[in-house]
Amino acid sequence: MNSALKWKLIAGFLLVFVAGCATGVFMTMAVGHHFMFAQHPAGIAAQTMKNRLRWQLHLTDEQMTKISPIIDKAGAQLEQIRGDTGGHVRDVITEAHHEISQYLTPEQQQRLKQMEERRRQWMQQHHPQWHRNATPTPETSPQS
């Protein structure tokens, strides 16, 4: 095998490797985004816990009947925590933007308001359950 062919093969393998890595990163981010930010149907946490416990502990139907109310309660609490956390995240971002705005030029302040509006619209579209709980404050209300 001559030297030129050897380098072409190495370059080809490296190209395939890099393409595979890029595909892996893209797929991981897409799937991760779905699990982190997608709207989950009500009760999915409880159903997931039930399925996992039944499978890993080999639970009988009688045992499942007895523990289902406990799991349903825990699932509802977890969903409430997830919603509350989203609200806290939104509040922290809003407060940070409010504090940052004092150091910005009027043009930058306008851009920041546009960023906030795009984020608000995105949240309304993708997470209506979090937006419903939002109450406008003087800092977040649009100013004339």
Side-chain angles (χ1 to χ4, degrees):
M1 177 183 308
N2 67 27
S3 174
L5 180 60
K6 188 187 302 183
W7 283 110
K8 286 179 185 179
L9 283 172
I10 290 172
F13 283 123
L14 284 175
L15 183 63
V16 169
F17 177 76
V18 170
C21 288
T23 301
V25 167
F26 174 77
M27 293 303 293
T28 300
M29 291 182 69
V31 170
H33 183 269
H34 171 74
F35 283 113
M36 291 293 293
F37 299 111
Q39 185 173 355
H40 299 285
I44 192 72
Q47 189 59 48
T48 301
M49 284 192 295
K50 287 177 188 178
N51 291 342
R52 180 168 290 150
L53 289 171
R54 179 186 291 271
W55 175 68
Q56 290 183 344
L57 301 177
H58 307 286
L59 299 175
T60 65
D61 289 341
E62 181 182 343
Q63 289 173 315
M64 283 304 299
T65 301
K66 290 178 181 176
I67 69 170
S68 282
I70 298 166
I71 295 172
D72 290 339
K73 178 182 171 188
Q77 290 172 333
L78 290 172
E79 289 176 8
Q80 181 64 44
I81 290 168
R82 186 172 187 255
D84 292 347
T85 300
H88 291 305
V89 168
R90 183 182 59 247
D91 293 344
V92 167
I93 291 171
T94 299
E95 180 61 27
H97 284 183
H98 177 68
E99 291 177 22
I100 289 168
S101 67
Q102 65 183 326
Y103 301 108
L104 303 178
T105 66
E107 181 182 322
Q108 291 170 325
Q109 288 175 352
Q110 185 61 36
R111 286 184 189 165
L112 183 62
K113 285 181 184 180
Q114 291 169 348
M115 288 170 51
E116 290 170 345
E117 180 61 22
R118 283 193 303 270
R119 181 177 58 90
R120 187 185 63 74
Q121 289 174 352
W122 186 89
M123 289 298 290
Q124 280 180 320
Q125 180 182 359
H126 292 93
H127 299 285
Q129 75 280 11
W130 292 348
H131 185 73
R132 260 186 254 120
N133 299 331
T135 54
T137 62
E139 292 85 18
T140 61
S141 297
Q143 298 177 0
S144 305

